[in-house]
Amino acid sequence: MLREVEGYADPLEGSRTEVIRRARRRGSYERLAYLRVVSGYNTRSRVLYVEGGGSLSVDVLGPDERRLLFRRAASGLQPLAVWLSPNGLPKKVKGWEGHVVRAVAFDGARGPVHDA
């Protein structure tokens, strides 16, 4: 499963990267309301620093708020969320948890994994 996730997230050729490129070309990220661009993170206090001078504790952010967290890369805005929908926007939890469950239940080398 780790190999599949690495392939998906590969910064040069992964399918996640291609989805982000398409979303950038469409201007999808710039049109989002309430978008927050994270410029830094303090691991000790678990605080995100946001462009414009604000800060947020990761402990109080809900799933929908986390979906609006982005970073500014050299090539443009990029979602901090790992799992993206085909339109490049972060998936809701119900949208990605099925991928994880299916991946855990299937081992590419041995086929479906069954409880003994």
Side-chain angles (χ1 to χ4, degrees):
M1 181 172 113
L2 185 55
R3 241 179 310 186
E4 287 80 8
V5 172
E6 287 175 341
Y8 167 75
D10 183 286
L12 296 177
E13 297 184 21
S15 56
R16 180 179 187 276
T17 301
E18 183 53 38
V19 167
I20 291 170
R21 285 184 190 132
R22 285 194 308 262
R24 284 181 183 147
R25 284 193 296 267
R26 288 190 310 269
S28 299
Y29 301 144
E30 287 77 12
R31 289 192 298 261
L32 288 175
Y34 309 111
L35 172 89
R36 293 190 173 152
V37 180
V38 175
S39 58
Y41 176 64
N42 184 316
T43 56
R44 176 169 275 171
S45 63
R46 297 178 48 86
V47 169
L48 296 170
Y49 299 103
V50 182
E51 283 185 4
S55 63
L56 304 161
S57 170
V58 296
D59 297 324
V60 299
L61 290 174
D64 287 334
E65 293 167 305
R66 290 173 187 252
R67 290 177 56 233
L68 293 171
L69 298 175
F70 285 71
R71 72 181 193 100
R72 193 172 302 283
S75 52
L77 291 175
Q78 181 178 70
L80 289 182
V82 173
W83 303 111
L84 305 178
S85 63
N87 67 5
L89 299 176
K91 287 187 172 190
K92 293 188 177 196
V93 173
K94 289 183 179 184
W96 62 258
E97 66 185 2
H99 292 294
V100 174
V101 169
R102 283 190 299 277
V104 169
F106 185 86
D107 179 325
R110 296 180 300 193
V113 176
H114 301 285
D115 291 334

